[in-house]
Each structure stands twice: as structure tokens, then as C-alpha cells.
Amino acid sequence: MSKKWKVAVIGCGMFANSQYFPYISSVANAECVAAVDIVVERAKAAAEKYNIPNYYKDVYELIEKCDFDIVIDSASIPAHHEINMAVLNAKKHLISQKPAALSVEDMTEQIECAKKNGVMYTAVPIHAMRPDILRAKQMIKAGAIGDVLSIKCVSTHGGPEYFQYRDVDPTWFFQKDAGALVDMGVHALHQVTAIMGPAKRVSCMAATSMKKRTVRSGKYDGKEITTDIMPDNYYITLDFGDGKIGFVDTGFCERATRSVPLEVFGSLGTISFDQPGTKWPDPKLYVDSPERGFRGWVEQMSWIEPPKRIFNQCCPLTDMTDALENVTQPILTPEHHRHVIEIMAKINEAIKTGNAVELTTTF
């Protein structure tokens, strides 16, 4: 299409500056027309750095003053629901950072609002679009590992005060409506459900393992943070039905790990994923084939075609504009996102009761 999509980014922090602003015009027929941040100096700085014509202090000023088609909501977690509802009620297309809401009810409200107003709504994480996960799904569909039996995922690091340079105080990560589960656990839960489909039940053991932390870099280097409000260490188990189960290790308590980030186990083999670096490597394949007298790790088979898709953290924009231009459904659906939100909500219930909890949403 000749139409150039006009994109506004809300939230001009580290992630938007490293993953959204530099790539908007390269992943789609699009241009960034506005930068928005409640700290208006950050919005102004982004506008100047990336030659963006407009900057605003909040979503309401954006809606009032700017002509745009799509919003990328990259604001802080607790702000997502209010921002998303404002965008959807303004009848604009929306890509929301994770989690888009903190309850199934709020997420359902957003989904229904998008449907009512005839706009497209997608939400990250991006894992369902990852080349290695798409490749693994092709392998599974082709029968490379037989019947899928279980999945194991690790999504963890040493804490937002520890693992990367920050010019914004990371204390908010440890406050109500934030935390390790919605920051890191959401990634693992999205990965395992992208491969296994919707879960039926969830259980969890969790702990608040580090009650005080020290910022290790950036503007707030050396600041002491009290971090005793919520768990920072989770071992999550999932029941997918039909004898299929899953395990997720997530939190803010692993300074470093050599664990394989993701593995899928089947009746005839295993798919094992490498840690991504500057690119996403193909997963490794182990095959148990008694009829051929073979058992071991194998090279990728020629009958598995690699997915041909642009991929980086800005790829949800590709996903959305492709769907809009071709009148199709995006890969990153809000219904999948809602299911992950329900799992996270039920995890809190499972921790309190010590029991497995039934899940009701699907995608």
C-alpha cells in the first residue's frame, strides 16, 4: 500500500529509545510522528534525537493535538490500562507493551473496546513471532519429536537494579502492580503457551528471597532499595491437559545462568533453544529413531523452511501493518495476551492457597 502509517510512541524510556524509535521506519511503511512521556523533557529529547515532529506530555494531549494511526504503548506497567483505553476509545490502532493490563477484567475491557471501535489491537511479548519459535512449531507439526509431552522455560535475571544501565530509578519495579512475575514471568509464559497452546491449570511455589537491593549502575548507582513487598523468585508448573505439562523458572534472583532458556520434550526427541545474541539461532534437534538405528542430535532438516519475516523488538509493528494492509489477523493477538494475564493472576491465588488453580480463558 502507498499509505504511510503514522505512529506515536508513549513512554520514552530506555526500551523505546533502543528498540522502537530507531526501527519504526525500517520494519514497516511507517513514520514516527509523536513522542509522548509524562516527563516531557524525555519526550522532547526523543523528538530531537530522532527528528520526530511532535512531542507531548500525555496520551490525552496526543489525542487532542496529533494526527496519527497507531500507538505503541511503552509506558510503565501500572499506566498501561488507562493509556490503552484512551487510545482505543479514540479509535486508533494499538500495540501495547507487556503486560497490557493487570487483570483479566481490564484486558477484556480493552479487547471489547477495540472490537467496538473497529481498530486493531496487539500486545507483546513478541515470542510468538520469533524465528526460532516459528521454526520449532514447524518441526513439531512435521512430527520431528513425536507427541509433545512437556516444556521447560527459564526467564530470569539478577534484577532491574543489577543487570543493565538505567537513568531512571528502578524502585518502581518492586512496587505493587509491578514485580518479577509481570516483568520477566510474562516472557516465559508467552513462550510456553505459544508452543503448547492454552494451559488448563497452574500451580506455583514463590518466595521473597532478596528483601534489600543496591542499584549497580547508572544515575542511581549505589541507591538502596527495600524489595520485600512481593515475591522475586518463582517456580511455576502448568497443566496443558492430555498428559502435557510445563515448568517455568522466573524471577529477579539469578545473577547469571547457563541454563538452556527453553526446551520442548517429545516422545521421539527434544527441541532445545540457544540463548539469543545479536540474532536468534535455530533451535537444536535431538531425534530418537529406533527404526533407523539412530539416536542423537541432528542438523536441521531441509524440509523445514525457515520463516521469512523481519524480526527485532519492533516487529509487532510489522505484524500489525501486514495484517491491516492484507486484511488478516495479526500473530500477536490480545486473546493470547489475556490468557497469559490470567495465568499470572491465578499464580498469585495458587501461592496463597498452595493448590493448583483452574484457568478459564483460551486463545
Side-chain angles (χ1 to χ4, degrees), residues 8-72:
V9 176
I10 300 179
C12 301
M14 179 190 65
F15 194 85
N17 273 273
S18 63
Q19 304 297 331
Y20 289 145
F21 290 126
Y23 300 108
I24 285 171
S25 61
S26 64
V27 301
N29 185 27
E31 60 180 339
C32 188
V33 298
V36 184
D37 199 290
I38 56 172
V39 180
V40 73
E41 291 79 10
R42 284 206 297 258
K44 181 181 179 182
E48 291 174 349
K49 181 176 181 179
Y50 298 103
N51 296 315
I52 300 167
N54 306 291
Y55 65 91
Y56 304 104
K57 68 179 185 298
D58 57 37
V59 63
Y60 305 106
E61 186 179 18
L62 169 73
I63 292 168
E64 177 187 355
K65 297 181 178 179
C66 190
D67 176 26
F68 64 97
D69 305 303
I70 298 169
V71 160
I72 300 175

Side-chain angles (χ1 to χ4, degrees), residues 21-319:
F21 290 126
Y23 300 108
I24 285 171
S25 61
S26 64
V27 301
N29 185 27
E31 60 180 339
C32 188
V33 298
V36 184
D37 199 290
I38 56 172
V39 180
V40 73
E41 291 79 10
R42 284 206 297 258
K44 181 181 179 182
E48 291 174 349
K49 181 176 181 179
Y50 298 103
N51 296 315
I52 300 167
N54 306 291
Y55 65 91
Y56 304 104
K57 68 179 185 298
D58 57 37
V59 63
Y60 305 106
E61 186 179 18
L62 169 73
I63 292 168
E64 177 187 355
K65 297 181 178 179
C66 190
D67 176 26
F68 64 97
D69 305 303
I70 298 169
V71 160
I72 300 175
D73 178 5
S74 185
S76 62
I77 292 168
H80 286 167
H81 182 59
E82 179 182 352
I83 290 170
N84 292 351
M85 287 300 296
V87 171
L88 295 170
N89 276 317
K91 299 184 178 181
K92 304 296 184 180
H93 307 297
L94 172 65
I95 300 166
S96 179
Q97 254 296 335
K98 50 81 182 172
L102 293 168
S103 70
V104 172
E105 292 76 17
D106 282 354
M107 190 65 196
T108 299
E109 184 181 8
Q110 293 179 32
I111 291 170
E112 294 304 318
C113 186
K115 290 178 180 176
K116 179 186 71 174
N117 289 317
V119 293
M120 187 170 290
Y121 176 26
T122 70
V124 307
I126 58 175
H127 302 294
M129 291 184 67
R130 274 172 38 187
D132 55 345
I133 284 184
L134 292 173
R135 174 71 73 100
K137 291 178 73 172
Q138 291 173 331
M139 297 161 112
I140 291 167
K141 185 177 180 180
I145 61 169
D147 296 328
V148 175
L149 307 176
S150 65
I151 191 166
K152 181 170 61 179
C153 187
V154 177
S155 177
T156 183
H157 58 54
E161 86 294 348
Y162 176 82
F163 89 106
Q164 63 184 208
Y165 184 95
R166 292 187 180 276
D167 61 1
V168 178
D169 187 349
T171 301
W172 71 270
F173 277 94
F174 301 95
Q175 303 300 315
K176 184 179 180 296
D177 295 336
L181 183 60
V182 296
D183 183 45
M184 295 300 296
V186 65
H187 288 287
L189 295 169
H190 191 267
Q191 290 174 66
V192 298
T193 52
I195 291 173
M196 302 289 282
K200 306 293 185 184
R201 295 191 306 157
V202 62
S203 57
C204 180
M205 182 174 290
T208 307
S209 298
M210 295 178 64
K211 298 178 176 59
K212 287 189 179 296
R213 294 169 180 260
T214 303
V215 180
R216 294 285 295 275
S217 65
K219 182 178 178 180
Y220 292 86
D221 186 28
K223 178 177 179 176
E224 298 287 335
I225 307 174
T226 300
T227 55
D228 60 354
I229 293 176
M230 65 189 75
D232 55 9
N233 214 353
Y234 294 81
Y235 281 1
I236 302 161
T237 54
L238 296 160
D239 177 4
F240 294 96
D242 299 323
K244 298 175 173 61
I245 59 173
F247 171 73
V248 165
D249 167 10
T250 193
F252 288 156
C253 292
E254 296 180 18
R255 298 303 200 196
T257 177
R258 290 183 176 179
S259 297
V260 175
L262 180 65
E263 287 188 303
V264 187
F265 304 98
S267 59
L268 298 177
T270 297
I271 300 173
S272 184
F273 293 72
D274 288 330
Q275 289 284 2
T278 55
K279 63 179 182 178
W280 298 81
D282 286 335
K284 303 296 188 294
L285 177 62
Y286 179 94
V287 174
D288 178 16
S289 181
E291 69 277 9
R292 295 182 176 87
F294 179 82
R295 179 185 292 173
W297 296 97
V298 300
E299 294 297 322
Q300 297 295 320
M301 300 181 185
S302 60
W303 44 263
I304 301 173
E305 291 295 328
K308 295 177 175 63
R309 178 172 285 275
I310 295 171
F311 185 79
N312 57 30
Q313 292 289 343
C314 201
C315 70
L317 182 60
T318 313
D319 186 34

